[in-house]
Amino acid sequence: MAKIVAMEVRDVRFPTSRDLDGSDAMNPDPDYSAAYVELHTDAGPDGYGLAFTIGRGNDVQAAAIRALAPHVVGRDVPEDAEALGALSRALVGDSQFRWLGPEKGVAHMAIGAIVNAAWDLAARRAGLPLWKFASRMTPEELVSLVDFRYLSDALTEQEALDILRAAEPGKAERIAKLEAEGYRAYSTSAGWLGYSDAKLVRLAEQAVADGFEMIKLKVGGNLEDDVRRMKLARETVGAEIRIAVDANQRWDVATAVSWMTALAPFDPYWIEEPTSPDDVLGHAAIAKALAPIKVATGEHVQNRVVFKQLLQANAIDVLQLDAARVGGVNENLAILLLAAKFGVPVCPHAGGVGLCELVRHLSMFDFVAVSGSDSDRSIEWVDHLHDHFTDPAVVRDGRYLAPTAPGFSARMHDATLRRFSFPDGPEWTENAQ
Amino acid sequence: MAKIVAMEVRDVRFPTSRDLDGSDAMNPDPDYSAAYVELHTDAGPDGYGLAFTIGRGNDVQAAAIRALAPHVVGRDVPEDAEALGALSRALVGDSQFRWLGPEKGVAHMAIGAIVNAAWDLAARRAGLPLWKFASRMTPEELVSLVDFRYLSDALTEQEALDILRAAEPGKAERIAKLEAEGYRAYSTSAGWLGYSDAKLVRLAEQAVADGFEMIKLKVGGNLEDDVRRMKLARETVGAEIRIAVDANQRWDVATAVSWMTALAPFDPYWIEEPTSPDDVLGHAAIAKALAPIKVATGEHVQNRVVFKQLLQANAIDVLQLDAARVGGVNENLAILLLAAKFGVPVCPHAGGVGLCELVRHLSMFDFVAVSGSDSDRSIEWVDHLHDHFTDPAVVRDGRYLAPTAPGFSARMHDATLRRFSFPDGPEWTENAQ
């Protein structure tokens, strides 16, 4: 049996704040970063995973991953659901480490990075892209991966099995459809808050020309600016293209309602992160007040327990899972099952570092094996930093192509790891301020 | 103006797992630990704070505190509400670091440790124990310390002012009462899950003899054991002494209800942490099903936003704030104000490392300046590790004495810091397994 013989963790940072890529009302100057983990084995391929951060504190995130090495190093290379479930349970169940969360923040993102690296490893060994590797598992195997603790008042093991069994017919057809047509994307590239009106218009026109059916604007800095930008965007793309807006947690409940009421004449499709990601009841109040404008959140939702409540409280119309915020594929499977149970579409958060690469696997797996549907679903697309990955996400005519390379696509090029290593890589030493 | 010229952070761990002190159903083998922070100044006293953890990962917690040094080093020594508010806003508002939470887990506990050390410093300079230092502030000053973001649907700035103004009359009498009589304590020392029945009975008898009016038992390991231990405890202490039970997050909603129904014949006063600390709706369902048994939680509640919802949803009857889980005194002031608004008594979580030392200040401040009441309120008391502190908590006849030394009482003896330093202190090198 091949073994994991070492775990290497790197602090990798991209100086995105220099161009205001990724700027929004809450995060004006992000340096998109990754705490990057490599699982080295004594035979066969290695495994790759990451936690995404936006700069300062990426060293803390890396330290948290390193602290979990004793659970990983010396372990047999995971090849199946049983091993991937056991690893996840060992990490989440560490009786001392869990105090740091539990199941949230730095500690939980560290678990997610390792769990995702283990899935990458398993999929590489199987010679399959992750979405196909997971889709090949039986309903019983998939259910064995999920931690149902704290979920049973909303989703039982039996209900999860029923959902997965209902998705069994038609799997092959859906795989063929993905391979032929890909999966719908939407574009955030036009809408960063730091961009000028002219750049917004140019990029919005480009997005429509590129085949996207929805674009997204950042809002929440200044109401007059937002009304002007939203009007401009609507005039640019016309009535048929959806425009989502994203407040990145800027508002209290009453402000969210009044601000969005001012934007309502321009037909926003969803309001994303209107308030604190921890505020289930706040999102519920906002959703009730703003319907039919949809409410979306998820990139900062810490775990399945909060997603469960958002669904129980009818607080979200769109669930935006994140590949690197929660405890990895295992917990995202729980989240996909919860969304399917409540009939809420999943439109993953992406962008950042590697998130587009990762979430396409999760949405395609959802379509094949969980919800069985792609209607009203799309994956965020932000067109930067993809060149740094060995298996980059590719979007054509507004659709993500189905990845074909074995694994979970988090691997970066060696040259990238050297150049953007923080603080010692040449990108940082040569451009020191 | 005196300045903070350096911040030192230490990884301090006590080998409590050797004796099963602190053992419960979720945390069977804790090594009580602190990521300990010292703010060194160029004139006058230094400031001390800590984040409490239970062993593995304490190094990650220490790294998170260190990562925030640029916000602290070089700053004027804070002396008033304005400076203490500004420091808190700078830490919580770091636009890159906040991605690691936001406002939760390792990153937020790091902020709390620093904010508390700054309050310690300010109170030392004023020559007052923290509870008196804070009680001397005006309602306007206190309100200026609070971050009302995400709170306004439950508590406005004006409502907070009204609460604080209503508590102005009688302050001097309440201070005199605390100095004469102290503040009610309850004892958890008898009830650790790893203790034998004989030890439980002996320590429960001792607690009653020592003047405590409530004891607490850990539950959630095995139902038969819990029924036997609860029966034994009730027979030991009689009908007049309250017995709280604490499940440390072990249960789903339905299990919490059925398990507590089995313990109900022995008249439990509250059930603490019946389920995930993130599950507002779960706590609400449990509270509704179990009334009049009270529901309590808080030691793992990540921030004011979750406390707000627990109160809005009538999910808790007792609010257990923690001195070292949230963003320090500033956020705990917000939490005290929320509790006062909703009329829910605050009974702080303590034990651990230094938590008894810290929370007595918060409860006494609450009595003097916020709720103005001590009825149905008490502070947890666990009698271990106090000797390591320079201003240890003292409980006599079941009551915490009012601290008189200047500061917030988190400072440990130098000999303790040397001996229990991890992994290089003699306690760890001489007893290596």
Side-chain angles (χ1 to χ4, degrees):
Chain A
M1 194 81 184
K3 283 198 183 300
I4 298 170
V5 293
M7 185 174 86
E8 202 167 346
V9 183
R10 299 167 189 268
D11 181 346
V12 183
R13 306 192 194 188
F14 301 93
T16 46
S17 64
R18 291 180 200 153
D19 297 318
L20 296 184
D21 293 338
S23 59
D24 63 51
M26 211 64 161
N27 312 295
D29 58 351
D31 283 326
Y32 279 7
S33 303
Y36 182 76
V37 55
E38 305 176 1
L39 303 179
H40 297 299
T41 63
D42 58 2
D46 291 342
Y48 305 87
L50 58 82
F52 167 58
T53 82
I54 61 172
R56 284 184 295 280
N58 198 49
D59 50 331
V60 178
Q61 188 59 61
I65 299 173
R66 280 188 201 104
L68 292 166
H71 288 292
V72 182
V73 177
R75 189 177 279 266
D76 289 342
V77 167
E79 294 190 333
D80 56 16
E82 189 181 342
L84 290 162
L87 174 62
S88 171
R89 284 190 296 276
L91 291 165
V92 174
D94 183 312
S95 66
Q96 295 188 348
F97 195 79
R98 80 181 291 284
W99 190 271
L100 302 179
E103 299 189 58
K104 59 181 64 76
V106 169
H108 206 44
M109 292 194 283
I111 290 171
I114 294 173
V115 166
N116 283 346
W119 277 88
D120 178 65
L121 186 50
R124 282 175 194 272
R125 284 186 76 88
L128 292 169
L130 181 115
W131 66 279
K132 276 194 177 172
F133 174 71
S135 298
R136 217 175 45 166
M137 290 182 178
T138 66
E140 290 75 15
E141 287 173 326
L142 290 170
V143 160
S144 78
L145 289 160
V146 172
D147 183 354
F148 283 91
R149 174 170 282 181
Y150 307 138
L151 296 189
S152 62
D153 55 328
L155 177 75
T156 65
E157 203 166 320
Q158 185 58 51
E159 289 173 319
L161 264 177
D162 293 345
I163 289 166
L164 294 164
R165 283 176 184 153
E168 291 272 277
K171 269 187 174 181
E173 291 77 3
R174 291 194 295 276
I175 290 174
K177 185 181 176 197
L178 288 172
E179 290 176 334
E181 302 172 15
Y183 196 103
R184 192 183 300 109
Y186 74 87
S187 172
T188 303
S189 297
W192 300 110
L193 212 57
Y195 286 2
S196 68
D197 286 2
K199 189 166 181 178
L200 186 161
V201 168
R202 176 168 55 79
L203 291 172
E205 282 171 347
Q206 187 63 50
V208 176
D210 288 345
F212 293 99
E213 298 163 30
M214 181 165 94
I215 65 170
K216 191 165 79 185
L217 304 187
K218 300 290 183 174
V219 296
N222 173 288
L223 180 57
E224 275 181 46
D225 287 345
D226 284 352
V227 170
R228 190 189 70 251
R229 293 168 70 250
M230 183 77 194
K231 185 165 181 287
L232 204 57
R234 176 57 71 204
E235 289 167 359
T236 304
V237 303
E240 297 305 309
I241 299 291
R242 289 177 176 170
I243 305 178
V245 297
D246 180 357
N248 290 91
Q249 313 166 27
R250 283 286 287 195
W251 302 321
D252 282 28
V253 171
T255 314
V257 173
S258 64
W259 202 296
M260 286 308 299
T261 301
L263 297 183
F266 311 103
D267 193 19
Y269 182 66
W270 77 48
I271 169 60
E272 177 172 333
E273 289 204 304
T275 189
S276 164
D278 307 337
D279 199 346
V280 172
L281 300 179
H283 280 87
I286 293 166
K288 198 172 168 193
L290 290 180
I293 299 172
K294 297 178 189 297
V295 170
T297 196
E299 72 184 81
H300 277 90
V301 171
Q302 63 206 30
N303 58 38
R304 70 197 181 286
V305 180
V306 179
F307 277 119
K308 177 191 74 168
Q309 295 174 83
L310 287 165
L311 294 164
Q312 287 174 312
N314 298 314
I316 54 173
D317 306 290
V318 175
L319 188 154
Q320 302 180 293
L321 66 73
D322 183 290
R325 172 68 61 184
V326 300
V329 174
N330 299 55
E331 190 164 24
N332 267 321
L333 171 55
I335 292 163
L336 289 171
L337 286 163
L338 282 164
K341 164 80 189 288
F342 284 86
V344 168
V346 172
C347 298
H349 171 243
V353 178
L355 300 183
C356 297
E357 279 64 30
L358 291 164
V359 293
R360 57 188 174 154
H361 290 279
L362 300 175
S363 279
M364 293 185 191
F365 164 67
D366 175 60
F367 177 53
V368 174
V370 186
S371 74
S373 169
D374 60 0
S375 64
D376 278 329
R377 289 160 172 84
S378 58
I379 307 171
E380 184 165 24
W381 170 246
V382 185
D383 192 9
H384 60 203
L385 303 179
H386 301 291
D387 290 349
H388 299 295
F389 288 84
T390 61
D391 180 28
V394 178
V395 167
R396 286 212 194 115
D397 298 329
R399 299 182 74 87
Y400 273 85
L401 303 191
T404 56
F408 198 12
S409 312
R411 186 176 187 180
M412 289 191 223
H413 290 296
D414 293 342
T416 291
L417 297 176
R418 280 193 300 272
R419 175 148 199 92
F420 295 94
S421 175
F422 186 89
D424 54 313
E427 184 68 24
W428 295 100
T429 55
E430 290 169 11
N431 295 291
Q433 289 163 349
Chain B
M1 193 80 186
K3 283 199 183 298
I4 298 170
V5 293
M7 186 175 86
E8 202 166 345
V9 184
R10 299 166 189 269
D11 182 345
V12 183
R13 306 193 195 187
F14 301 94
T16 46
S17 65
R18 290 179 201 153
D19 297 319
L20 298 183
D21 295 337
S23 58
D24 64 50
M26 212 65 161
N27 311 295
D29 57 353
D31 283 326
Y32 279 7
S33 303
Y36 182 76
V37 56
E38 304 176 3
L39 303 180
H40 297 299
T41 64
D42 58 4
D46 292 342
Y48 305 87
L50 58 83
F52 168 57
T53 81
I54 61 171
R56 284 184 295 278
N58 198 49
D59 51 330
V60 178
Q61 188 58 61
I65 299 173
R66 281 190 201 103
L68 293 166
H71 289 291
V72 182
V73 178
R75 188 177 279 267
D76 289 341
V77 167
E79 294 190 335
D80 56 16
E82 189 180 343
L84 289 162
L87 174 63
S88 171
R89 285 191 295 276
L91 291 165
V92 174
D94 183 312
S95 67
Q96 294 187 349
F97 195 79
R98 77 179 295 282
W99 190 271
L100 301 180
E103 299 190 59
K104 59 182 65 77
V106 169
H108 206 44
M109 292 195 283
I111 290 170
I114 293 173
V115 167
N116 283 346
W119 276 87
D120 178 65
L121 185 49
R124 283 175 192 272
R125 284 184 77 87
L128 292 170
L130 181 116
W131 67 278
K132 276 194 177 172
F133 175 71
S135 297
R136 217 174 47 167
M137 291 181 177
T138 65
E140 291 74 15
E141 287 173 326
L142 290 170
V143 160
S144 78
L145 291 159
V146 171
D147 183 355
F148 284 92
R149 175 169 281 180
Y150 306 139
L151 296 189
S152 63
D153 55 329
L155 177 75
T156 66
E157 204 165 319
Q158 185 58 53
E159 289 173 320
L161 265 178
D162 293 345
I163 289 167
L164 294 165
R165 284 175 184 155
E168 291 272 277
K171 268 188 177 182
E173 291 78 2
R174 291 195 295 278
I175 290 173
K177 185 181 176 197
L178 288 172
E179 289 176 333
E181 301 172 15
Y183 196 105
R184 192 182 299 108
Y186 75 86
S187 171
T188 303
S189 297
W192 300 110
L193 213 56
Y195 286 1
S196 68
D197 287 1
K199 189 167 183 178
L200 185 162
V201 168
R202 177 167 55 78
L203 292 172
E205 282 171 349
Q206 187 63 51
V208 176
D210 288 346
F212 292 101
E213 297 163 30
M214 182 166 93
I215 65 170
K216 192 165 80 185
L217 304 187
K218 299 292 184 174
V219 297
N222 172 287
L223 180 56
E224 273 181 48
D225 288 344
D226 283 353
V227 170
R228 191 188 69 252
R229 293 168 68 250
M230 182 76 193
K231 185 165 180 288
L232 204 56
R234 177 56 72 203
E235 289 167 359
T236 302
V237 302
E240 297 307 307
I241 300 292
R242 288 175 176 171
I243 304 178
V245 298
D246 180 356
N248 289 90
Q249 314 166 25
R250 282 286 287 193
W251 301 322
D252 282 29
V253 172
T255 313
V257 173
S258 64
W259 201 295
M260 285 308 299
T261 302
L263 296 182
F266 311 104
D267 193 19
Y269 182 67
W270 78 47
I271 169 63
E272 177 172 334
E273 290 205 302
T275 190
S276 165
D278 308 337
D279 198 347
V280 172
L281 301 179
H283 280 86
I286 292 167
K288 196 171 169 195
L290 290 180
I293 299 171
K294 297 177 189 300
V295 169
T297 197
E299 71 183 82
H300 278 90
V301 171
Q302 63 207 31
N303 59 37
R304 69 196 181 288
V305 180
V306 179
F307 276 119
K308 176 191 76 166
Q309 295 174 83
L310 287 164
L311 293 165
Q312 287 174 313
N314 298 312
I316 54 171
D317 307 290
V318 175
L319 188 153
Q320 302 180 292
L321 65 72
D322 183 291
R325 171 69 60 184
V326 301
V329 173
N330 299 55
E331 189 164 24
N332 268 320
L333 171 55
I335 292 163
L336 289 172
L337 286 163
L338 283 165
K341 163 80 189 290
F342 284 87
V344 168
V346 172
C347 299
H349 171 243
V353 178
L355 300 183
C356 298
E357 280 64 31
L358 293 164
V359 292
R360 56 187 175 156
H361 290 278
L362 301 175
S363 280
M364 292 184 192
F365 164 67
D366 175 60
F367 177 53
V368 174
V370 186
S371 75
S373 168
D374 60 359
S375 64
D376 278 331
R377 290 160 171 85
S378 58
I379 307 171
E380 184 165 24
W381 170 247
V382 185
D383 191 9
H384 61 204
L385 303 178
H386 301 293
D387 290 349
H388 298 297
F389 288 84
T390 62
D391 180 27
V394 178
V395 167
R396 283 208 197 120
D397 298 329
R399 298 182 77 87
Y400 273 81
L401 302 192
T404 56
F408 199 9
S409 312
R411 186 176 186 181
M412 290 192 224
H413 290 295
D414 293 344
T416 290
L417 297 176
R418 281 192 299 274
R419 173 147 201 92
F420 295 95
S421 174
F422 185 89
D424 54 313
E427 184 69 25
W428 294 101
T429 54
E430 290 170 10
N431 295 290
Q433 289 162 349

